[in-house]
Amino acid sequence: MKRVSLQPVHSEAEILEVSALAHEIWREYYGGLLSPDQIEYMLQNMQSPGPIREQIAGGYEYRLVRRAGVPIGYIAYRLNDPQGKMFVSKVYLRREERGRGYFRDILSLIDAAARDARQEAMWLTVNRGNSSADVYRACGFETVREQDVDIGGGYEMNDYVMKRAVTLD
């Protein structure tokens, strides 16, 4: 039985809710990994309402993660990026919700969406200093390469690219 649900994000109120969660979570989580200036730059350019709207228009599917109806985080993914592979762009939970096994529930729901869309694999990027890489490995993701991406503003993302086959039930 799943302890969390994924609610599609469509309305302006839901977009604002995702952006507020992003601002809360990113400032707390990335404080030890990135400079405060880079965090603010990324929030403004990637997780504010305008960029979220643009991502949704470009094929990203955002979902609010809810437990007992209460938002505890959010995810975003894009199907066929590239063809037959789901790009899992974002998986974020509030601090107090981490370490409770919810990621496995979320991954099961993402797997179901990938299966329904006939995706053979999913992939993601994770900062090389982020301990979440260990969680992804424990859930079957494998590192396929490292990449450094210029995101503008004088900032770079230094990530692992990780991949996992879609689970067939």
Side-chain angles (χ1 to χ4, degrees):
M1 179 163 173
K2 303 294 180 271
R3 298 172 295 162
V4 298
S5 63
L6 302 180
Q7 173 197 338
V9 172
H10 298 297
S11 73
E12 186 63 19
E14 292 160 345
I15 289 170
L16 293 173
E17 191 169 18
V18 167
S19 182
L21 279 167
H23 283 70
E24 171 193 334
I25 294 168
W26 283 40
R27 287 180 179 130
E28 173 267 319
Y29 189 81
Y30 286 114
L33 289 171
L34 305 172
S35 73
D37 288 343
Q38 182 171 351
I39 294 167
E40 295 307 314
Y41 175 85
M42 292 175 73
L43 285 169
Q44 183 62 34
N45 290 284
M46 298 174 190
Q47 292 295 270
S48 290
I52 292 170
R53 276 187 227 100
E54 291 171 12
Q55 291 168 41
I56 291 170
Y60 282 87
E61 301 196 31
Y62 273 78
R63 302 284 188 264
L64 284 162
V65 179
R66 293 192 181 273
R67 180 179 51 79
V70 176
I72 63 168
Y74 69 101
I75 68 165
Y77 61 83
R78 185 163 59 181
L79 300 171
N80 294 310
D81 182 4
Q83 186 63 37
K85 295 177 178 61
M86 173 191 278
F87 173 47
V88 180
S89 174
K90 293 159 187 66
V91 179
Y92 292 105
L93 292 173
R94 287 184 158 141
R95 177 197 315 233
E96 61 272 14
E97 306 299 341
R98 291 182 214 131
R100 296 179 167 192
Y102 296 138
F103 177 71
R104 288 191 186 276
D105 294 342
I106 293 166
L107 185 58
S108 176
L109 294 167
I110 294 171
D111 255 347
R115 267 194 318 279
D116 290 348
R118 301 187 188 277
Q119 305 292 283
E120 64 189 45
M122 58 182 76
W123 68 281
L124 55 82
T125 59
V126 60
N127 181 288
R128 291 195 294 265
N130 189 335
S131 62
S132 293
D134 294 331
V135 175
Y136 296 134
R137 285 185 193 99
C139 291
F141 283 88
E142 296 179 6
T143 301
V144 294
R145 71 179 185 279
E146 294 181 4
Q147 71 179 14
D148 298 317
V149 176
D150 182 342
I151 60 169
Y155 301 110
E156 201 174 66
M157 292 197 311
N158 310 112
D159 295 331
Y160 293 121
V161 176
M162 303 181 85
K163 183 178 174 184
R164 176 185 187 275
V166 171
T167 305
L168 301 174
D169 288 336

